[in-house]
Amino acid sequence: MVVLIGIGIGLLLALLIFRATIGDFRLLLTYLYDDAVVFRSGNGDILFWQSEFVQELENPEEILSVHRIQADEIGFRLPANPSDTYQVVALGDSYTEGANVATPWKDIFARDSGLSTRNLGFRGYGITHYRWTWEQYGIQENPDVLIIGFFGGNDVFTAGLDNEPPFEIPRNVRLNETEPFIVTNYADEGEDLRLYPKYLDNGTPIAYLLNYVHWMNVEEEQLTGSVNYQVISDNLQQIQETASDDTCLVFAYFPSKPEVYFPYMQPIDYPDLLIRLHTPLLNSDGTLHLVEDFNIDLERTLRWRTNTGDIMTELASSLGYETINLLEIFEERASEGELLYYSYDTHWNQAGQNLAGTTIADFVDEQCDV
């Protein structure tokens, strides 16, 4: 008993010293594991890409998440519960990898569905990467369910780029990565460029990557008549043709932050964004590109913001996929004032990842015979 009391006192003193010198107890993880990640407010990708539009953050050092990212031999993020074989394969980009959260949606899905799930999502991937990843690493699993997480923010855009395999494997990309840094070059006081933060109806600050606002502003005929659309169709079809007849194919549309939250902003904040909006139009080579559009108004933007998700899920459905558009459930939570994305990052926070995983698990349970 005396020994146990002594150990307890020693641990308490160690924790008090850590608290006094280091601060947040969550940082203990960084001393225990080399693969621990600290994600702070000032690390947001919106700040990285367009900090000149953002008012200086009050606390850029605020810790949003401390977690581990364990990777397999190829470099894909290991599931929370690794398995020798997997019943489900999840393809996708950074939303599926979930680098900024402790528990990505596919681990929530695995927990709720009871199905072992392999995460083959990685940052920067697009539809051609999904096909390549499936052919290289997914087919061998012969899964009962294949889930493609298609991100509305840039998967349409990247389909128009000259992306052809072979691609560099995630392990090599991770080896060449640098440590994340806090962005400090904010907009100057009084600059007309300063756009963010904008505010939701309930007063929550929010920021968008302007490109994602542009790309949600696409007319139906422009999208369906584009090379981008055809590339997406071709890759989905190739994945479908190489999958087993017994595999349940699921296409899950992941909406961007502006697709979800644009209707719930304070009215005073719309004009600054609308005057900067561009519209995707067909280029001479059939790809979509962004052009200035002086006919943009709020009514049209709100009406067109669902076009990408509707068209992509309709396409996937026509090719034999079971389809789910997460915009509906995300918009429902947004209307209740819940923030499902980080304020200064384009990605889901843990609440968004949880909602996606649970929703997809319920959908698979209803639509797939597993």
Side-chain angles (χ1 to χ4, degrees):
M1 180 64 71
V2 172
V3 172
L4 290 175
I5 293 174
I7 292 174
I9 292 174
L11 289 173
L12 179 60
L13 288 174
L15 289 172
L16 290 174
I17 292 171
F18 185 89
R19 177 70 174 178
T21 56
I22 306 299
D24 197 309
F25 284 128
R26 290 176 292 177
L27 293 174
L28 274 171
L29 202 66
T30 64
Y31 291 86
L32 299 174
Y33 302 103
D34 292 336
D35 54 14
V37 173
V38 182
F39 181 61
R40 304 175 188 270
S41 293
N43 296 138
D45 59 358
I46 293 175
L47 298 173
F48 179 84
W49 292 110
Q50 52 182 44
S51 60
E52 71 276 13
F53 293 143
V54 182
Q55 181 178 329
E56 184 174 357
L57 302 188
E58 290 185 8
N59 184 14
E61 298 284 347
E62 177 189 5
I63 295 175
L64 302 178
S65 182
V66 182
H67 54 273
R68 298 179 68 189
I69 298 184
Q70 295 176 278
D72 62 22
E73 68 279 2
I74 304 162
F76 292 108
R77 186 170 183 174
L78 278 173
N81 296 302
S83 176
D84 291 334
T85 60
Y86 290 97
Q87 298 162 281
V88 181
V89 167
L91 306 176
D93 60 5
S94 54
Y95 279 74
T96 298
E97 179 190 6
N100 293 343
V101 293
T103 311
W105 70 263
K106 70 99 213 162
D107 283 337
I108 302 297
F109 167 87
R111 181 200 68 192
D112 288 2
S113 67
L115 302 173
S116 57
T117 307
R118 188 177 185 190
N119 188 340
L120 293 182
F122 194 65
R123 66 202 70 170
Y125 274 15
I127 188 63
T128 307
H129 297 86
Y130 304 161
R131 172 177 57 83
W132 175 77
T133 303
W134 164 249
E135 293 171 348
Q136 295 296 314
Y137 310 110
I139 288 178
Q140 61 190 346
E141 300 291 349
N142 191 26
D144 297 316
V145 182
L146 168 63
I147 304 172
I148 298 177
F150 187 96
F151 175 53
N154 58 18
D155 277 0
V156 171
F157 163 68
T158 58
L161 302 178
D162 186 19
N163 287 326
E164 287 298 329
F167 300 113
E168 190 170 18
I169 64 173
R171 181 185 63 213
N172 294 339
V173 176
R174 292 186 188 279
L175 288 174
N176 293 323
E177 285 180 333
T178 58
E179 288 293 320
F181 59 89
I182 301 293
V183 174
T184 57
N185 54 327
Y186 302 105
D188 293 335
E189 288 291 334
E191 272 196 15
D192 292 337
L193 284 176
R194 189 167 63 190
L195 284 174
Y196 303 117
K198 299 301 184 188
Y199 293 91
L200 301 178
D201 287 334
N202 64 1
T204 300
I206 196 167
Y208 305 121
L209 195 64
L210 279 178
N211 263 359
Y212 290 177
V213 188
H214 300 328
W215 279 95
M216 79 171 188
N217 188 46
V218 62
E219 186 178 13
E220 182 177 349
E221 291 182 358
Q222 295 292 313
L223 178 50
T224 56
S226 67
V227 167
N228 307 58
Y229 180 89
Q230 190 59 52
V231 168
I232 294 167
S233 177
D234 290 345
N235 281 282
L236 288 177
Q237 188 166 0
Q238 288 179 58
I239 292 172
Q240 187 270 339
E241 290 173 350
T242 54
S244 167
D245 292 339
D246 297 329
T247 299
C248 181
L249 302 176
V250 176
F251 179 93
Y253 182 81
F254 295 169
S256 65
K257 191 196 295 185
E259 285 178 276
V260 175
Y261 285 99
F262 219 72
Y264 305 106
M265 292 168 51
Q266 295 181 1
I268 195 174
D269 284 334
Y270 285 116
D272 279 349
L273 288 172
L274 292 173
I275 63 174
R276 290 176 168 84
L277 282 192
H278 293 181
T279 298
L281 293 179
L282 290 176
N283 208 341
S284 58
D285 63 359
T287 60
L288 289 167
H289 68 296
L290 297 173
V291 299
E292 287 186 299
D293 187 346
F294 300 104
N295 295 317
I296 291 176
D297 57 35
L298 181 58
E299 181 183 354
R300 196 193 81 177
T301 301
L302 292 176
R303 186 172 67 252
W304 282 10
R305 74 186 171 90
T306 64
N307 283 354
T308 301
D310 291 342
I311 292 168
M312 290 297 103
T313 51
E314 288 171 6
L315 169 62
S317 180
S318 72
L319 295 173
Y321 288 77
E322 303 292 343
T323 60
I324 179 172
N325 187 342
L326 293 186
L327 178 59
E328 181 178 354
I329 185 64
F330 271 62
E331 189 175 19
E332 178 184 321
R333 297 296 179 87
S335 70
E336 298 169 354
E338 187 172 357
L339 188 63
L340 301 167
Y341 299 71
Y342 289 115
S343 289
Y344 293 94
D345 193 88
T346 59
H347 296 92
W348 293 329
N349 56 24
Q350 190 62 67
Q353 291 279 350
N354 292 348
L355 180 59
T358 297
T359 303
I360 297 172
D362 290 342
F363 179 80
V364 167
D365 181 58
E366 293 175 358
Q367 301 298 326
C368 298
D369 184 17
V370 183

